[in-house]
């Protein structure tokens, strides 16, 4: 039976405010300085997780850690260029030595350098693929060495509906996000026997600084077209990530969960 009192307090069915699904777990979140990544880090901390917040600069990561600390959680700040293999390997060694072996990795870091195909520069193609796709590969390669020792792990890759449907002017971004879906399925097959799951979340149009520059008429079109009747929020995405990282999702792997308000059904 649903707990209607809990629902009125804003709690989710089956979970009370005191639930700590990720207590004693170390969670690594890349791209944690803002937007979706910041909200994911905060959400894990609210549910008892110790969060290693990774950003390009330590100052960016520290801002999220300060928000976690202010809410009574526990976080640590790390800087890393995730497209650099040496930096990634050093990052996960530091996390393991200073915080503990990660139970969860959220590959959220991503950039855009949009342009029409005929105008797209090679360096912009390379940089988007290096950060959005190669970076996820490098982080997975590093973290699975640690997870295999524990015979447990949850890996969640942040893809995009653009990776599923494409978009004019975003061929580099679409290719990287589509590549993450194939990477997700391959990792799921390779590590399933070690009790390591790997899934993807594909957000639609989410209200962040990356979507602020979208034309108002386009946003209105999304709101009118999506059955949910609104743009998504970082909290919507974080909820999906936390589910896939939880024990309740232990028999789910190699899957992509679209968080798009039904826009592309």
């Amino acid at each position: 039976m649903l707990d209607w009192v809990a629902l009125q307090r804003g709690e989710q069915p089956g979970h009370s405010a005191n639930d700590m699904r990720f207590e004693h777990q170390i969670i690594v979140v890349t791209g944690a300085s803002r937007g979706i990544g910041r909200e994911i880090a905060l959400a894990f901390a609210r549910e008892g997780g110790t969060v290693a917040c990774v950003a390009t600069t330590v100052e960016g990561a520290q801002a999220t850690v300060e928000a976690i600390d202010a809410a009574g959680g526990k976080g640590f700040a790390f800087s890393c260029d995730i497209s650099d293999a040496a930096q990634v390997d050093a990052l996960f060694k530091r996390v393991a030595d200073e915080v503990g072996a990660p139970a969860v990795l959220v590959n959220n870091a991503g950039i855009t350098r949009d342009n029409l195909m005929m105008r797209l520069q090679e360096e912009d193609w390379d940089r988007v693929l290096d950060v959005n796709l190669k970076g996820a590969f490098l982080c997975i390669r590093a973290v699975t060495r640690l997870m295999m020792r524990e015979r447990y792990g949850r890996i969640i890759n942040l893809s995009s509906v653009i990776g599923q449907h494409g978009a004019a002017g975003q061929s580099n971004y679409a290719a990287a996000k589509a590549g993450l879906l194939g990477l997700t399925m391959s990792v799921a097959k390779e590590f399933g026997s070690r009790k390591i799951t790997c899934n993807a979340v594909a957000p639609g149009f989410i209200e962040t600084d990356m979507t602020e520059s979208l034309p108002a008429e386009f946003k209105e079109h999304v709101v009118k077209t999506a059955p949910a009747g609104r743009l998504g929020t970082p909290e919507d995405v974080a909820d999906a990530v936390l589910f896939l990282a939880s024990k309740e999702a232990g028999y789910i792997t190699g899957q992509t969960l679209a968080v798009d308000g039904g826009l592309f059904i």
Side-chain angles (χ1 to χ4, degrees):
M1 180 179 293
L2 287 176
D3 183 345
W4 294 106
V5 175
L7 283 173
Q8 289 175 338
R9 290 200 302 262
E11 298 167 14
Q12 295 301 310
H15 296 285
S16 73
N18 295 320
D19 279 348
M20 290 291 179
R21 285 188 289 175
F22 301 98
E23 194 171 11
H24 307 305
Q25 289 192 18
I26 311 302
I27 296 95
V28 177
V29 181
T30 68
S33 64
R34 58 192 176 92
I36 292 172
R38 175 184 170 89
E39 180 55 38
I40 289 171
L42 291 169
F44 273 112
R46 282 194 294 269
E47 296 209 22
T50 298
V51 188
C53 300
V54 181
T56 305
T57 66
V58 72
E59 291 80 10
Q62 186 60 39
T64 300
V65 169
E66 289 172 2
I68 289 173
D69 291 345
K74 186 180 295 185
F76 296 84
F78 296 90
S79 63
C80 182
D81 176 359
I82 62 166
S83 68
D84 184 295
Q87 288 193 41
V88 169
D89 289 343
L91 165 70
F92 282 91
K93 185 178 186 307
R94 280 192 64 199
V95 170
D97 291 346
E98 299 174 18
V99 185
V104 180
L105 166 65
V106 182
N107 281 313
N108 167 75
I111 63 170
T112 57
R113 291 190 179 180
D114 299 346
N115 216 329
L116 295 174
M117 178 68 72
M118 298 299 293
R119 299 174 183 170
L120 186 63
Q121 299 299 308
E122 184 178 354
E123 55 266 30
D124 291 336
W125 172 275
D126 288 345
R127 187 59 184 160
V128 169
L129 270 289
D130 281 350
V131 173
N132 296 15
L133 183 55
K134 180 184 174 184
F137 151 67
L138 292 174
C139 289
I140 291 170
R141 187 177 66 176
V143 81
T144 48
R145 294 167 182 158
L146 302 169
M147 288 178 171
M148 283 194 295
R149 296 174 192 167
E150 305 295 325
R151 296 190 68 83
Y152 179 87
R154 298 281 190 267
I155 299 168
I156 298 96
N157 297 320
L158 268 292
S159 181
S160 168
V161 293
I162 301 301
Q164 297 175 305
H165 301 276
Q170 287 192 300
S171 58
N172 50 359
Y173 186 77
K177 293 301 186 179
L180 279 174
L181 302 182
L183 177 64
T184 295
M185 291 183 282
S186 296
V187 171
K189 290 183 176 182
E190 284 194 30
F191 293 98
S193 64
R194 300 297 184 96
K195 299 186 177 173
I196 298 170
T197 66
C198 185
N199 292 287
V201 172
F205 294 96
I206 308 299
E207 292 182 295
T208 67
D209 54 355
M210 288 185 72
T211 57
E212 281 182 1
S213 60
L214 291 173
E217 57 270 21
F218 179 81
K219 293 181 183 179
E220 291 173 6
H221 171 74
V222 171
V223 169
K224 290 178 181 178
T225 304
R230 64 175 176 86
L231 296 180
T233 66
E235 291 82 0
D236 292 324
V237 181
D239 286 343
V241 170
L242 263 64
F243 166 67
L244 291 173
S246 71
K247 65 178 182 180
E248 290 85 358
Y251 199 55
I252 300 172
T253 194
Q255 304 303 308
T256 298
L257 177 56
V259 183
D260 64 357
L263 184 62
F264 287 102
I265 57 175

